[in-house]
Amino acid sequence: MKHEVELRLQAWVDGQLPVHEADEVARLIETDAEARALLTELKHTRAALAGHEDSITLPESREFYWSKIARAIEREQPKAQAVETSWLQHFRRLFIPAGALAALLLIGMLAGRQTASSNVPYELSDLVADSDTFTFTDEANGTTLIWFSYPVENELAQPDDSDIL
Amino acid sequence: MADNPQSAATDEQLVQAAQKGDMVAFEELVARHRDKIYARAYSMMRNEEEALDLSQEAWVKAWQRLEQFQGDSSFPTWITRIVINLCLDQLRRQKRRRTESIDEMDEESGGVERQLPVVIVNPTEGLERAELRKRIDEALGKLSEAHRTVIVLCEFQNLEYKEIAKAMNCSIGTVMSRLFYARRRMASLLADLKKAE
């Protein structure tokens, strides 16, 4: 018997043969003794294997088996939390200075608009009370300078340290 | 465990509770399905220690991915797929460490299996359950890994050929050939065991 026919016979036993091919195999089984013998063998093998795994049981008690799983879960959880924490820390490290910079730019732009609407050629003002940030706007030249001081977090920073935007 | 209120809950209820972090509910799921998961790992690995480790790893992975479980399939089907994937990964790692043998090349083309006479007599007829298990165990142990895997995925997991091909990363034709020769070899091994009585 050709291997291709053997495979079709097997697919028929497994119920995975397309309908149009199933009739052909059914006819073959009726007429070919070799095909019938192979079919019998395949069916016996399938029947022998059916339900085999049901007889396999865990060689450990419920408590012991679970204790190992529970320990592994506990071991993995702090790792996952640590990864999350370090990601958050990284995000904060980047986001906070970037956010502060964006806020200052926004304040600067708003202050620029306010002074542009008045007739005073230049203005020197505190932007936010007690913020150690003030601007100088020269309308004639169309420039706005903003001074702000870093918070005294860094001990090495000098009291008059400032940035100019 | 009659006093355990979890034991009356359905799998779905336990999964929902476990998804909210309830470890007691998850333990109940483990208790219900541990034999099946271990049996599947043992069928594929043929090694008690490896089967224990991989089945436990499957449960840990299930806990970590529990949020992804949407209930499209039953919980036992889902966790069984996890353990099968872990076993397949482990078998691939082991295979990479070995050199290809003549036996492995014959898995698809049929080596000795091509010459085997067809076994018409049922080799397991009239056997006690324990004896039947022992014989099938012995026969499964003598199959190559690829032949055993395809038998497990088809006969025990009831996967279609195309699903087996995807899991084993090969063509449907290869799956059909491997399965055919694996079954022929099983039939022959079971018949030999009967003769050896």
Side-chain angles (χ1 to χ4, degrees), chain B residues 15-24 63 66:
Chain B
V15 168
Q16 280 173 10
Q19 282 174 329
K20 290 173 191 159
D22 186 343
M23 284 275 270
V24 179
W63 170 261
L66 212 49

Side-chain angles (χ1 to χ4, degrees), chain A residues 3 6 10-11 14 16 37 41 44 46 48-49 52-53 55 58 62 65-66 68 73 76-77, chain B residues 1 31 34-35 38 40 43 55-56 64 118-120 133 136 155-156 161 176-177 180-181 183-184:
Chain A
H3 187 50
E6 292 173 334
Q10 173 180 249
D14 290 332
Q16 295 196 45
E41 184 191 272
H44 283 161
R46 288 202 73 188
L49 289 164
H52 171 68
E53 279 191 344
S55 57
L58 197 68
R62 171 179 173 158
Y65 186 71
W66 168 250
K68 285 197 274 182
I73 288 172
E76 295 296 322
Q77 268 174 342
Chain B
M1 301 302 287
R34 67 199 161 130
D35 282 336
Y38 168 76
R40 183 57 44 84
S43 293
S55 66
Q56 284 165 326
Q64 290 166 340
V118 175
V119 182
I120 303 167
R133 187 207 152 172
I136 292 171
E155 300 285 7
F156 302 155
Y161 297 157
M176 291 171 79
S177 267
F180 180 75
Y181 291 123
R183 280 169 166 161
R184 296 239 52 215

Side-chain angles (χ1 to χ4, degrees), chain B residues 27-196:
Chain B
E27 186 191 356
E28 178 61 25
L29 285 167
V30 174
R32 280 185 194 184
H33 304 293
R34 67 199 161 130
D35 282 336
K36 185 182 170 64
I37 300 309
Y38 168 76
R40 183 57 44 84
Y42 183 78
S43 293
M44 292 185 77
M45 306 309 294
R46 308 298 304 166
N47 179 297
E48 200 174 283
E49 204 174 319
E50 269 186 308
L52 276 168
D53 286 347
L54 289 166
S55 66
Q56 284 165 326
E57 196 180 332
W59 285 111
V60 176
K61 284 222 179 317
W63 170 261
Q64 290 166 340
R65 298 176 189 172
L66 212 49
E67 281 179 15
Q68 295 169 22
F69 178 69
Q70 301 292 318
D72 299 333
S73 59
S74 70
F75 180 77
T77 303
W78 184 71
I79 175 77
T80 307
R81 280 186 193 147
I82 293 177
V83 79
I84 285 173
N85 286 335
L86 286 172
C87 290
L88 287 171
D89 287 346
Q90 178 72 358
L91 289 170
R92 282 188 198 111
R93 276 195 293 273
Q94 289 174 353
K95 194 177 178 180
R96 258 182 246 131
R97 287 187 219 122
R98 290 193 308 262
T99 51
E100 193 177 36
S101 69
I102 294 168
D103 281 353
E104 285 170 34
M105 288 189 282
D106 284 344
E107 278 161 359
E108 289 140 48
S109 58
V112 289
E113 292 87 358
R114 289 174 76 101
Q115 317 300 327
L116 293 172
V118 175
V119 182
I120 303 167
V121 178
N122 187 350
T124 58
E125 195 176 16
L127 286 178
E128 292 289 324
R129 193 179 168 83
E131 181 61 22
L132 176 64
R133 187 207 152 172
K134 191 181 150 213
R135 283 202 192 167
I136 292 171
D137 239 16
E138 276 182 56
L140 280 171
K142 287 177 182 170
L143 294 182
S144 70
E145 278 167 8
H147 277 174
R148 193 166 50 245
T149 302
V150 83
I151 287 264
V152 169
L153 297 182
C154 181
E155 300 285 7
F156 302 155
Q157 185 68 8
N158 295 317
L159 293 185
E160 290 183 9
Y161 297 157
K162 62 181 175 191
E163 293 172 311
I164 299 171
K166 195 177 169 190
M168 294 183 78
N169 200 21
C170 62
S171 69
I172 292 175
T174 301
V175 167
M176 291 171 79
S177 267
R178 279 183 184 170
L179 185 59
F180 180 75
Y181 291 123
R183 280 169 166 161
R184 296 239 52 215
R185 183 111 171 97
M186 274 299 287
S188 171
L189 287 165
L190 290 171
D192 287 348
L193 290 169
K194 190 179 176 78
K195 279 181 212 160

